Amino acid sequence: MYLAAQGLALKYPNTANYVFKNLSFKLAEPGFNALFGPSGVGKTSLAKIITGEIHTFSGDIRSKGMQTCLYSYNLERLPGWSSVGKHLEKITPPARRSRRDELISVFGLEELIGKRFSRLSLGQQNRVNLLRYLLQDFHLLIMDESLANVDELTREKIILKIKDMYPEAYFLYISHNVVEVSKLCNEIIVLRGGLKEPSATVVPGRNFMTGQEMERAELEQTMLEIVNASS
Amino acid sequence: MYLAAQGLALKYPNTANYVFKNLSFKLAEPGFNALFGPSGVGKTSLAKIITGEIHTFSGDIRSKGMQTCLYSYNLERLPGWSSVGKHLEKITPPARRSRRDELISVFGLEELIGKRFSRLSLGQQNRVNLLRYLLQDFHLLIMDESLANVDELTREKIILKIKDMYPEAYFLYISHNVVEVSKLCNEIIVLRGGLKEPSATVVPGRNFMTGQEMERAELEQTMLEIVNASS
Amino acid sequence: MLLHRRIYQFFIIYLLAVAFLFLIKYGLDLSDYVIPGPVDVWHTGTREFSRYFSDVMNTMMVAVIGQVISIFLALLVGITGRQATWIGSFTKAAAYNVQAYPIVALAPIIFILLGDGIISRLLIAAMICYFPLLLSVIGIMSEPISDIEHFYRVTGRMRWQLEVKIRAFENMNKLTTVVAGSATLAMAGTIVAEFIAANAGIGYSIRIALFQSDLAKILIALFLIGITLSVYQGLLEVIGYLIEKGWAAK
Amino acid sequence: MLLHRRIYQFFIIYLLAVAFLFLIKYGLDLSDYVIPGPVDVWHTGTREFSRYFSDVMNTMMVAVIGQVISIFLALLVGITGRQATWIGSFTKAAAYNVQAYPIVALAPIIFILLGDGIISRLLIAAMICYFPLLLSVIGIMSEPISDIEHFYRVTGRMRWQLEVKIRAFENMNKLTTVVAGSATLAMAGTIVAEFIAANAGIGYSIRIALFQSDLAKILIALFLIGITLSVYQGLLEVIGYLIEKGWAAK
Amino acid sequence: GTAEAAEKVSYRLKWLFNMSVAGDIYADVHQFFARQGLKVTIKEGGPERDAIRELELGRAQFGVASADQVIRAVSKGATVVVIAQLFQVNPLQWMYRTDRMKIERLGDLKGHTLGVTFGGNDEAILKTLLAKANLTENDVTLFSVRYDYTPFFKKKVNFWPVYRNTQAVFLGQKLRQAGEDFAFFNPADHGVRFVANSVVTSKTMLEKRPDTVRKFTVALLRGWQAAMDQANAQKTIKTLQQYDRDSTLETLQEQLDITRRLIHPKASIPVGEIDVAAWKQTEKIMLDQRQIPGPVNVERYLKAIPEY
Ligand SMILES: Nc1ncnc2c1ncn2[C@@H]1O[C@H](COP(=O)(O)OP(=O)(O)OP(=O)(O)O)[C@@H](O)[C@H]1O
Ligand SMILES: Nc1ncnc2c1ncn2[C@@H]1O[C@H](COP(=O)(O)OP(=O)(O)OP(=O)(O)O)[C@@H](O)[C@H]1O
Ligand SMILES: [Mg+2]
Ligand SMILES: [Mg+2]
């Protein structure tokens, strides 16, 4: 099972510049990977190419065994007619009920499941939304700033839990936090914009797991690599 | 000119717990301050109390000379019928045209002003939205995750510029990034939730300005204080 | 409170209109047979009140049923017609076409097919009332709410029922406005049906009053129609408000 | 393309309806008086085509003007009535009340006030057509779009024009649906007006055909009304589509 | 009555319950049908009602239709037969203000504005009258009449088509109250005898259930005769009051007097007599005005009424 992009180029109609050009990468192994780069560099656009929402690109995107790619983003909402708990109930396959309860607790949502989605704080909404995706079948889950409005501690707890719980799945995590992606991700696809070639380089992350020791120097090395790659 | 809260308590109707109780703080001097705390702790709620959008709290909120409090947040949109540039043109008082152009450049938006808002990336939307608030009259500007979807480098550049440009104004910056608030803010109001008393403590930040030297140890000290304060 | 307001607002409007008529009458010195005088209207009112009132109630009953039918019809067509498929667009075209024909031209065909009686009356009321509903429903139903629908779509959980529910819920305000507003159309529709089919209700009475050229009676009928409708509409609005509150609450 | 589709869909609908009528005719062995036979309809069609066509055009012209008027009227009332103030609710109440009265009952009053002729015809067309528009406009206009409006409100820049513009733009789809759809109502309204008032237009011809119990003529009239309206509506949709594209484009 | 259960039939009127259907109601209320062993459901008519269509669709067995309806239906293959003619004099006449126009001869119409319902019988009648007077449409101004009487009330038009026995009574009262003088213009006085309402049934009915048709006709005409009898005036009005609650007693009395003159103008002619010559003239008028494509020989569809 893999996902590979070869020489992708994208230009929106009526715009002057390429968002990216000659963009290539390969995700060959399951793991928690990041898509990183400055605002406006094309992360969301690449995600939409992968899920098939954008067709007007050139180049090649190939995958094997990766039938189900889910794309989640931070502006999604749940319908307003019943509580978060009831909605989760409905979209959880029976076999995953205990997993759901476990996630609810790790995500810090126990006290909120009786509430309507619209009454939640922004970070709470982020978490509820991501949680429901994790209960679905997927081979690849793209998380487009899915935790952007959550505090750092909770975020790390959540990511670590996901890594423990889904060793066989592929993740593509879009975030603007260098420390976080350096520390937690397996590979970091750093986008560099359409003016540079290649438009992307892949930096190996520290891929920190629950309970591991973390070498500060190594982490800083990775962060530096990422910063260098994007500039 | 100051803004002071004394013994604020807030409980939403039909909910069990107080969002906060006995919350007090005082902003006595102009500056770039943060409102910090885990997701769901009540930052947005406090901001809405300050701007008068929420009335159902108890306690006292007092201010002197602070007629204009603006509240901006990251989900705002611009109308769709014309380009970002034209919208900015309309809402810029003539005297601030050069300031606008300066901000556009610092915010990295030069190439986007001909575009419709809906065609921008999330972080670009964040920036455009914040920019237009900065061109208005205000004594206090609350930025509720206004830069949540912008990359860290750009974010720092923007905040430093704001600090340089508005030495006389009050800011209340809501963010989930400890490093950022520690480094850039003057005072950090750390919210601790309704179960703890007091519900807020104020931690002095490093208040880093353009061109200053930064002591790493000091910064880490501040970060630690913040983390301690929230737990 | 809403109800209250509706009623006294109606009184104001009615009195203004009647005052305006009298103004014209006395201003242009028109004789009583062109515009009846206040005394005549008052006498007619006291004389015909109870009879017309029961006529209006009769009409109202049909109108309410007609409205319910047309709400269903509009939802049905609106939900089918929301899709950008051929069948969706065909349903819409059919629904629009039927509406384009003035009821007076269709009436003879309706009577040939359905005979007289309540069915024809209901059908005509429903036809007049359903179209505006339909327009709103189609407008609402054909606009995706992607923030909410995305999840269901990508996880393959989207059913048309869910789609409809999401869009209806998010546009609840608009829907209740239109439903409450369409009450007036149902009423007007029923009256027209009675007028051309001439069998019962206030429409029938209006027809006779027109035949006798009795404007005083028409003014009384209009008064009763207006007041009844204000009450009904006020009630609908209160109900809509309660439903909305109930659904959104918790 | 849209236009194309509207037209052939209309043909299908019309043919289905006529086929159904013929089925009944031959099924129940009814005479040409009850339901005219194909030959009769054909002959009537060739004989009356050009006369009826010019009648329909005449009606259409009035309908288009009536629609424009009612769009303005609906915007006017909708914009005033969108506010939750007393005057807003009063405007709404007045607009609703006027609608509640069946046009047949109001017609004599209209004729007294305005005489017969084009003005009355226009007024009636506009009244029938504006209400559904109004309902939609009120629904749309009374719902804040806070993501966009917040900035203007807190910075004291909100004017009612801007508010209206924002809400209209965000609901462009719904508005164009309703405007295009209301074309049928304008047409129906004009025909009804002609039926009860005028000496011209297809409504007048329909009335004469009804006097003469000539269903064949009615079928021809319905055909011409339907086809004209399909073209008009298709055009409106194309225009709406272009406007939307133009506005959203860069 | 007989011991057997009454035979049920439906009877569709031409218009709403008013003085023009006095006899129909009278026959029902005062048991004329019951005595013939019939149970008749009387259905009100209306502008969108067509009794001939209902006969064919089996929704009614008897009905009232105007002569032009009958002739048109026959020309389109409907198998309708006329079993009685209710109005000997057509109630469709013109009301005019005598201070505005004087009409002694047809030629006096020249130069006036004349109200006419385009498409209605009055158009056919008026055009025939104009032709008789050698007037063209340029010699007069035709004004299209609709639902409301405003143009007449406002004196914009002073020659207005009315139903002599119903509408004309309301209007007359109003004009009298306003102190205006008026008179009626009756086309029959000038040789145009366009037939008005008649009782019809289907040919099938006549062939398959001749007895029912006979009984119905007998009962109906006896009812009409009794209703029109001066001696029964109070009874007729009382009966009608139950159905027509919009008219005052005074109105009804006046209407009855006029209706009597239209239904039963001469004692020598029985109520319901079919005036074949008038029917022929009606057909000719319609033919002349191309309302029917060819002659139908309407006399073949007129069935002489039985003795009653
Ligand atoms: N309208 C409401 N009704 C009920 N509870 C609410 C409402 N709005 C917010 N809350 C609750 O109040 C608490 C504080 O919410 P608030 O939005 O102020 O949090 P926040 O600090 O801004 O969080 P975040 O960082 O996630 O945006 C949360 O637990 C939230 O669920
Ligand atoms: N529909 C569109 N039409 C034209 N240009 C677009 C469109 N969508 C995005 N863009 C442009 O393409 C570029 C990449 O956008 P994209 O949303 O992929 O960025 P991103 O990396 O996700 O940024 P962010 O971190 O701010 O979300 C941006 O410059 C944006 O302005
Ligand atoms: Mg993005
Ligand atoms: Mg918040």
Side-chain angles (χ1 to χ4, degrees):
Chain A
M1 205 157 66
Y2 67 85
L3 174 79
Q6 188 61 48
L8 294 185
L10 175 71
K11 196 164 144 339
Y12 280 103
N14 306 320
T15 56
N17 300 320
Y18 274 88
V19 177
F20 40 70
K21 226 181 342 206
N22 192 17
L23 188 153
S24 308
F25 67 88
K26 180 163 185 176
L27 297 180
E29 311 247 303
F32 197 83
N33 305 299
L35 196 52
F36 190 82
S39 166
V41 81
K43 302 179 293 300
T44 300
S45 306
L46 178 57
K48 285 185 176 163
I49 288 177
I50 295 172
T51 55
E53 248 182 88
I54 293 180
H55 312 276
T56 56
F57 61 97
S58 64
D60 228 27
I61 189 132
R62 240 169 315 143
S63 68
K64 203 183 129 202
M66 219 173 252
Q67 286 84 9
T68 320
C69 295
L70 295 184
Y71 171 72
S72 75
Y73 61 104
N74 65 330
L75 302 180
E76 289 180 68
R77 293 184 294 138
L78 265 69
W81 59 78
S82 61
S83 67
V84 165
K86 283 213 183 113
H87 279 297
L88 291 180
E89 182 68 42
K90 273 223 172 125
I91 54 92
T92 310
R96 296 197 189 130
R97 292 225 177 106
S98 65
R99 168 169 293 188
R100 177 194 61 199
D101 297 337
E102 204 181 334
L103 284 172
I104 286 178
S105 141
V106 174
F107 277 49
L109 300 173
E110 292 104 330
E111 297 188 353
L112 307 173
I113 52 165
K115 275 185 146 176
R116 306 276 154 146
F117 187 78
S118 61
R119 301 274 162 95
L120 299 182
S121 83
L122 217 54
Q124 291 167 344
Q125 294 185 339
N126 277 188
R127 284 176 273 162
V128 167
N129 182 44
L130 178 59
L131 199 154
R132 57 179 183 161
Y133 278 93
L134 291 170
L135 296 170
Q136 311 307 311
D137 293 322
F138 60 86
H139 297 104
L140 168 66
L141 176 62
I142 301 178
M143 307 193 281
D144 193 349
E145 316 213 14
S146 294
L147 295 172
N149 310 98
V150 179
D151 60 287
E152 294 177 329
L153 283 176
T154 312
R155 214 146 71 187
E156 181 162 330
K157 225 165 76 183
I158 289 173
I159 293 174
L160 287 172
K161 183 72 193 178
I162 292 177
K163 291 175 68 169
D164 284 351
M165 214 177 227
Y166 299 89
E168 297 299 311
Y170 289 70
F171 290 91
L172 212 44
Y173 178 59
I174 301 181
S175 155
H176 283 299
N177 192 315
V178 199
V179 186
E180 185 179 62
V181 298
S182 307
K183 182 173 170 186
L184 298 170
C185 295
N186 182 25
E187 291 195 317
I188 298 129
I189 303 172
V190 181
L191 296 193
R192 313 170 72 223
L195 299 175
K196 294 183 194 136
E197 297 224 22
S199 284
T201 43
V202 177
V203 175
R206 305 303 338 151
N207 204 15
F208 181 83
M209 302 292 285
T210 321
Q212 276 182 344
E213 282 296 315
M214 191 69 199
E215 277 256 8
R216 179 127 175 200
E218 282 178 3
L219 178 62
E220 298 207 334
Q221 177 59 31
T222 303
M223 283 166 58
L224 202 66
E225 275 177 48
I226 292 176
V227 172
N228 288 340
S230 33
S231 58
Chain B
M1 202 157 66
Y2 68 85
L3 174 79
Q6 188 60 49
L8 294 186
L10 175 71
K11 195 165 149 327
Y12 282 103
N14 307 322
T15 54
N17 299 320
Y18 275 88
V19 177
F20 39 71
K21 225 176 354 203
N22 192 17
L23 186 151
S24 309
F25 67 89
K26 180 165 182 175
L27 297 180
E29 311 247 305
F32 197 84
N33 306 298
L35 197 52
F36 190 84
S39 165
V41 80
K43 301 179 293 297
T44 300
S45 307
L46 178 57
K48 286 184 176 164
I49 287 176
I50 294 172
T51 57
E53 249 182 87
I54 293 180
H55 311 276
T56 56
F57 62 97
S58 62
D60 228 29
I61 190 132
R62 241 170 313 144
S63 68
K64 205 185 125 198
M66 221 171 249
Q67 286 84 8
T68 320
C69 296
L70 295 184
Y71 172 73
S72 76
Y73 60 104
N74 65 330
L75 302 180
E76 288 180 69
R77 293 184 293 138
L78 265 66
W81 59 78
S82 62
S83 68
V84 165
K86 283 212 183 114
H87 278 297
L88 290 182
E89 183 67 40
K90 274 222 172 127
I91 54 92
T92 310
R96 297 200 187 125
R97 291 224 178 106
S98 64
R99 169 168 292 187
R100 177 195 61 200
D101 297 336
E102 203 181 334
L103 284 173
I104 285 178
S105 139
V106 175
F107 278 47
L109 299 173
E110 292 102 330
E111 298 189 352
L112 306 174
I113 53 165
K115 276 185 144 175
R116 304 277 154 147
F117 187 80
S118 61
R119 300 272 163 94
L120 301 182
S121 82
L122 217 53
Q124 291 167 344
Q125 295 186 338
N126 278 187
R127 283 177 274 161
V128 168
N129 183 43
L130 179 58
L131 199 155
R132 57 180 183 160
Y133 277 94
L134 290 172
L135 297 171
Q136 310 306 312
D137 293 320
F138 60 86
H139 297 104
L140 168 66
L141 176 62
I142 302 177
M143 308 192 279
D144 194 348
E145 315 213 14
S146 293
L147 295 171
N149 310 99
V150 178
D151 60 286
E152 294 175 331
L153 282 177
T154 312
R155 213 146 70 190
E156 183 163 325
K157 225 165 76 183
I158 288 173
I159 292 173
L160 286 172
K161 183 72 192 176
I162 292 177
K163 292 174 68 168
D164 283 351
M165 214 177 228
Y166 298 90
E168 297 299 310
Y170 289 71
F171 292 92
L172 212 43
Y173 178 60
I174 302 181
S175 154
H176 283 298
N177 193 314
V178 200
V179 185
E180 184 178 63
V181 299
S182 306
K183 181 174 169 188
L184 299 170
C185 294
N186 181 25
E187 293 197 316
I188 298 129
I189 302 170
V190 181
L191 297 193
R192 314 170 72 223
L195 300 175
K196 293 183 195 136
E197 297 223 22
S199 284
T201 44
V202 179
V203 175
R206 303 304 338 154
N207 204 15
F208 180 82
M209 303 292 285
T210 323
Q212 278 182 343
E213 282 298 314
M214 190 71 199
E215 277 256 6
R216 178 125 176 203
E218 281 176 2
L219 178 62
E220 297 206 335
Q221 176 59 29
T222 303
M223 285 165 60
L224 204 66
E225 274 176 50
I226 293 176
V227 172
N228 287 341
S230 33
S231 58
Chain C
M1 206 216 66
L2 263 172
L3 190 53
H4 231 110
R5 193 154 78 176
R6 274 238 170 277
I7 294 171
Y8 78 76
Q9 280 176 341
F10 165 72
F11 272 99
I12 297 176
I13 292 161
Y14 185 82
L15 288 178
L16 280 178
V18 170
F20 179 68
L21 270 186
F22 289 151
L23 208 81
I24 290 181
K25 175 182 168 64
Y26 293 111
L28 302 182
D29 194 21
L30 298 174
S31 73
D32 277 1
Y33 59 62
V34 181
I35 297 177
V39 180
D40 191 5
V41 173
W42 177 254
H43 282 157
T44 309
T46 50
R47 200 170 52 242
E48 306 294 349
F49 185 88
S50 64
R51 189 161 64 90
Y52 274 22
F53 185 72
S54 80
D55 282 348
V56 171
M57 284 300 122
N58 180 330
T59 302
M60 191 71 205
M61 241 172 48
V62 180
V64 172
I65 304 173
Q67 199 191 357
V68 171
I69 293 176
S70 45
I71 291 172
F72 276 105
L73 223 67
L75 284 176
L76 200 80
V77 176
I79 287 166
T80 321
R82 84 186 185 287
Q83 290 147 329
T85 57
W86 194 90
I87 187 81
S89 120
F90 183 75
T91 311
K92 236 162 69 175
Y96 278 43
N97 260 297
V98 168
Q99 184 55 34
Y101 301 137
I103 212 67
V104 286
L106 288 184
I109 299 176
I110 291 175
F111 293 130
I112 288 176
L113 298 180
L114 298 176
D116 48 351
I118 193 92
I119 298 287
S120 305
R121 230 167 119 196
L122 261 178
L123 182 71
I124 292 174
M127 277 180 64
I128 288 185
C129 161
Y130 104 107
F131 194 63
L133 282 166
L134 174 68
L135 284 178
S136 281
V137 172
I138 282 190
I140 286 168
M141 285 305 159
S142 51
E143 205 161 306
I145 298 177
S146 48
D147 288 358
I148 298 181
E149 294 173 13
H150 175 81
F151 172 81
Y152 297 100
R153 228 171 275 294
V154 298
T155 60
R157 288 172 194 284
M158 191 53 103
R159 304 284 166 274
W160 69 263
Q161 298 94 327
L162 182 62
E163 188 175 288
V164 166
K165 195 172 170 188
I166 289 173
R167 294 178 188 181
F169 189 83
E170 290 287 310
N171 290 285
M172 192 44 65
N173 237 322
K174 283 170 207 155
L175 280 179
T176 51
T177 304
V178 183
V179 168
S182 74
T184 60
L185 288 168
M187 192 74 182
T190 312
I191 296 175
V192 170
E194 290 165 351
F195 188 89
I196 56 186
N199 37 25
I202 192 71
Y204 172 69
S205 297
I206 288 177
R207 170 116 218 168
I208 292 172
L210 275 184
F211 188 72
Q212 300 184 347
S213 188
D214 195 336
L215 207 59
K217 276 185 184 165
I218 292 189
L219 287 178
I220 298 304
L222 291 182
F223 175 78
L224 285 167
I225 293 168
I227 192 88
T228 312
L229 208 61
S230 296
V231 173
Y232 178 53
Q233 223 180 2
L235 283 177
L236 278 183
E237 279 173 355
V238 170
I239 292 170
Y241 175 76
L242 292 178
I243 287 177
E244 229 176 308
K245 237 180 79 175
W247 228 11
K250 153 84 215 177
Chain D
M1 204 215 67
L2 263 171
L3 190 53
H4 231 110
R5 191 153 81 176
R6 274 241 170 273
I7 294 171
Y8 77 78
Q9 281 176 342
F10 165 72
F11 271 100
I12 297 177
I13 292 161
Y14 186 82
L15 288 179
L16 280 178
V18 170
F20 177 69
L21 276 184
F22 289 153
L23 209 83
I24 291 181
K25 174 183 169 68
Y26 293 110
L28 300 181
D29 194 20
L30 300 173
S31 76
D32 279 2
Y33 182 71
V34 181
I35 296 177
V39 180
D40 192 4
V41 173
W42 178 255
H43 280 156
T44 308
T46 51
R47 198 170 53 240
E48 306 293 349
F49 185 86
S50 64
R51 190 160 65 88
Y52 274 25
F53 185 73
S54 79
D55 282 349
V56 170
M57 284 299 123
N58 181 329
T59 302
M60 191 72 203
M61 239 172 48
V62 180
V64 171
I65 303 174
Q67 200 191 358
V68 171
I69 293 176
S70 46
I71 290 173
F72 276 106
L73 222 66
L75 284 177
L76 199 80
V77 177
I79 288 167
T80 321
R82 83 187 187 287
Q83 291 148 328
T85 57
W86 194 90
I87 188 80
S89 122
F90 183 75
T91 312
K92 234 163 75 176
Y96 279 41
N97 259 297
V98 169
Q99 184 54 34
Y101 302 135
I103 212 68
V104 285
L106 287 184
I109 298 176
I110 292 176
F111 298 133
I112 289 176
L113 299 181
L114 299 177
D116 43 356
I118 193 92
I119 298 288
S120 303
R121 230 167 121 196
L122 262 177
L123 182 71
I124 293 173
M127 278 180 63
I128 288 184
C129 160
Y130 104 106
F131 195 63
L133 282 165
L134 174 69
L135 284 179
S136 281
V137 173
I138 283 192
I140 286 168
M141 285 303 157
S142 50
E143 206 162 305
I145 298 175
S146 48
D147 288 358
I148 297 181
E149 294 173 13
H150 175 80
F151 172 79
Y152 297 99
R153 228 172 275 292
V154 297
T155 61
R157 290 174 193 282
M158 190 55 104
R159 303 283 166 274
W160 68 263
Q161 298 93 328
L162 182 63
E163 187 176 288
V164 165
K165 194 170 171 189
I166 290 172
R167 295 180 189 178
F169 189 84
E170 290 286 310
N171 289 286
M172 195 43 66
N173 235 325
K174 282 169 206 153
L175 281 178
T176 52
T177 304
V178 182
V179 167
S182 74
T184 59
L185 287 168
M187 191 74 181
T190 313
I191 297 174
V192 170
E194 288 165 351
F195 189 87
I196 56 184
N199 309 325
I202 192 70
Y204 174 67
S205 299
I206 287 177
R207 192 164 77 119
I208 291 177
L210 277 183
F211 266 126
Q212 301 174 346
S213 311
D214 196 336
L215 216 56
K217 278 187 182 163
I218 304 249
L219 288 179
I220 297 304
L222 291 183
F223 175 78
L224 284 168
I225 294 170
I227 191 88
T228 311
L229 207 61
S230 297
V231 173
Y232 179 52
Q233 224 180 1
L235 283 177
L236 277 184
E237 278 173 355
V238 169
I239 291 171
Y241 175 76
L242 292 179
I243 288 179
E244 231 177 309
K245 238 179 78 176
W247 228 13
K250 126 101 221 161
Chain E
T2 55
E4 301 153 41
E7 188 179 358
K8 285 182 187 155
V9 292
S10 271
Y11 179 36
R12 168 66 76 187
L13 300 180
K14 174 95 169 77
W15 193 248
L16 310 177
F17 289 139
N18 67 13
M19 193 51 79
S20 290
V21 303
D24 303 312
I25 293 172
Y26 197 95
D28 186 39
V29 172
H30 298 289
Q31 307 293 319
F32 287 86
F33 291 126
R35 264 176 255 136
Q36 295 291 326
L38 294 175
K39 171 145 186 31
V40 179
T41 309
I42 299 187
K43 299 202 240 170
E44 211 167 354
E48 302 284 335
R49 301 279 172 231
D50 189 322
I52 299 176
R53 288 207 173 103
E54 299 204 0
L55 293 180
E56 227 179 284
L57 288 161
R59 298 214 179 99
Q61 284 70 48
F62 299 96
V64 178
S66 59
D68 64 313
Q69 269 179 322
V70 172
I71 291 168
R72 224 176 254 121
V74 164
S75 91
K76 289 202 172 174
T79 53
V80 61
V81 287
V82 175
I83 50 178
Q85 176 182 333
L86 292 177
F87 284 95
Q88 299 304 316
V89 180
N90 194 332
L92 182 53
Q93 303 179 5
W94 274 264
M95 188 177 204
Y96 65 94
R97 288 196 174 80
T98 43
D99 59 336
R100 300 290 171 120
M101 52 199 291
K102 286 235 155 356
I103 306 173
E104 273 150 16
R105 296 169 301 106
L106 282 178
D108 296 340
L109 293 175
K110 187 169 177 177
H112 287 288
T113 300
L114 310 176
V116 62
T117 319
F118 287 109
N121 282 345
D122 47 333
E123 185 189 359
I125 295 171
L126 189 66
K127 286 190 171 158
T128 308
L129 288 166
L130 292 178
K132 260 187 150 146
N134 285 322
L135 293 174
T136 69
E137 286 185 27
N138 296 329
D139 296 323
V140 295
T141 308
L142 294 185
F143 180 90
S144 171
V145 166
R146 311 154 314 222
Y147 283 79
D148 78 303
Y149 308 97
T150 314
F152 183 62
F153 285 160
K154 287 182 148 177
K155 299 179 186 164
K156 197 173 155 196
V157 183
N158 296 304
F159 185 83
W160 197 261
V162 289
Y163 282 94
R164 178 74 183 83
N165 61 331
T166 52
Q167 264 172 330
V169 174
F170 314 125
L171 297 184
Q173 284 168 354
K174 285 180 202 276
L175 260 60
R176 253 180 262 135
Q177 257 172 27
E180 294 176 24
D181 288 325
F182 58 91
F184 292 95
F185 172 83
N186 181 2
D189 296 341
H190 302 276
V192 174
R193 289 160 65 219
F194 200 93
V195 178
N197 291 354
S198 307
V199 183
V200 292
T201 189
S202 64
K203 199 161 159 234
T204 333
M205 192 71 193
L206 192 64
E207 281 163 2
K208 297 224 173 103
R209 291 159 73 184
D211 202 38
T212 309
V213 174
R214 192 189 49 77
K215 285 195 237 164
F216 179 85
T217 317
V218 166
L220 184 75
L221 293 178
R222 281 181 188 166
W224 265 105
Q225 190 163 40
M228 292 301 110
D229 192 336
Q230 187 79 57
N232 291 332
Q234 286 321 304
K235 216 168 150 188
T236 305
I237 285 168
K238 247 212 179 92
T239 307
L240 199 65
Q241 263 179 327
Q242 297 164 26
Y243 291 83
D244 177 2
R245 290 184 302 162
D246 279 275
S247 303
T248 61
L249 185 63
E250 187 198 358
T251 306
L252 290 175
Q253 275 164 343
E254 197 182 334
Q255 286 180 335
L256 178 57
D257 286 339
I258 298 166
T259 305
R260 190 180 294 120
R261 281 184 264 140
L262 303 174
I263 298 270
H264 202 180
K266 287 185 205 147
S268 58
I269 301 173
V271 171
E273 175 95 328
I274 296 176
D275 182 347
V276 179
W279 276 93
K280 283 184 172 162
Q281 191 192 13
T282 305
E283 182 183 339
K284 183 168 178 305
I285 291 173
M286 290 179 70
L287 195 58
D288 287 346
Q289 299 190 1
R290 301 220 190 86
Q291 293 198 27
I292 45 174
V296 294
N297 298 323
V298 70
E299 60 276 10
R300 289 189 294 150
Y301 303 89
L302 310 174
K303 298 294 160 202
I305 53 165
E307 291 275 328
Y308 63 95

